[in-house]
Amino acid sequence: RADELDALIAKRLAQGWSLARLDKPMRQILRAGAYELVARIDVPTASVISEYVDVAHAFYDKREAAFVNGLLDAVARDVRR
């Protein structure tokens, strides 16, 4: 499902940005979070986003964690209506 997840993420990146511009840990955090939003509908949206924001905090500062929050929230709006 990598192509599906990457498309969901890429759709929400700012114009001119691609998934390839993100470093590997960030790509994996976003992919894992997007997967959980798509495939684990039994897990509440807020819990999924919160977990991956916490993971982002382990590797990045507040700005990047906020980026994860915003992007996963946008993906959730696309896949969990």
Side-chain angles (χ1 to χ4, degrees):
R1 298 182 83 167
D3 291 339
E4 173 190 3
L5 299 173
D6 286 354
L8 286 169
I9 295 165
K11 174 181 174 184
R12 293 304 185 163
L13 292 174
Q15 186 173 356
W17 276 81
S18 67
L19 216 52
R21 284 187 70 182
L22 302 175
D23 64 6
K24 286 182 181 184
M26 180 60 74
R27 280 196 306 265
Q28 299 309 335
I29 291 168
L30 295 173
R31 284 174 174 153
Y35 175 81
E36 226 176 302
L37 289 168
V38 170
R40 294 294 313 268
I41 59 171
D42 59 312
V43 180
T45 300
S47 295
V48 172
I49 294 171
S50 178
E51 288 172 11
Y52 289 97
V53 168
D54 288 346
V55 172
H57 276 296
F59 294 95
Y60 301 102
D61 64 20
K62 273 183 141 176
R63 184 172 169 223
E64 285 84 2
F67 169 73
V68 169
N69 183 32
L71 195 135
L72 290 179
D73 182 61
V75 169
R77 282 185 267 127
D78 287 341
V79 299
R80 292 189 173 188
R81 297 172 199 227

